[in-house]
Amino acid sequence: KKIQTVPFERLRGGRAVPAFKSALAALSKKSDIVLLSVDLDAMSLAVAPGVSAPQPEGFSAGELYEMLEIAAKNKKVFSLGLFELSPPLDANDATSRLAAQAAWKFLAVKCFKWESRRS
């Protein structure tokens, strides 16, 4: 099926966002439309406790937001799906808030051309 996977070990130390940017650019060259799915199980337990498979080491909220801003700027990215949120497992609605903020950051850039101060 020619699916590329990247072990998390290769994404440590600030390499996740550049790797995502590179992978999205390569995919965009081969595709007419890109549909983005985010599995919240890939997030760090510290920011996403409300998932079925929490990770002691995973992506930070900042990494997620930055990746979504990059995706939203890409004209071929047409949708965002956020998956694996489990409200009964969520502590203080932390994961729900993360998902809501992620959706907002994506839509703010995609629909309203909002730019983060990091850009």
Side-chain angles (χ1 to χ4, degrees):
K1 304 271 181 190
K2 298 181 183 178
I3 296 172
Q4 179 186 4
T5 60
V6 180
F8 188 78
E9 292 77 25
R10 289 197 213 153
L11 302 176
R12 289 185 182 123
R15 294 182 298 216
V17 173
F20 175 80
K21 189 173 187 175
S22 176
L24 180 60
L27 181 60
S28 294
K29 287 180 184 175
K30 298 177 184 178
S31 307
D32 295 328
I33 295 174
V34 175
L35 309 176
L36 184 63
S37 297
V38 175
D39 184 336
L40 294 171
D41 285 327
M43 301 302 299
S44 168
L45 171 63
V47 296
V51 297
S52 60
Q55 301 301 311
E57 180 180 38
F59 297 114
S60 70
E63 288 172 322
L64 173 63
Y65 299 154
E66 212 171 332
M67 288 186 267
L68 292 178
E69 288 176 24
I70 290 165
K73 290 176 187 174
N74 185 306
K75 293 183 184 343
K76 292 191 177 180
V77 175
F78 271 75
S79 74
L80 169 66
L82 296 163
F83 300 97
E84 297 301 325
L85 171 63
S86 177
L89 301 175
D90 205 5
N92 298 318
D93 298 323
T95 313
S96 299
R97 292 171 195 266
L98 175 76
Q101 186 72 14
W104 166 250
K105 287 192 178 287
F106 178 82
L107 291 171
V109 174
K110 183 58 96 177
C111 300
F112 307 117
K113 308 300 184 222
W114 174 82
E115 291 289 330
S116 141
R117 297 209 194 295
R118 287 189 305 260
S119 299

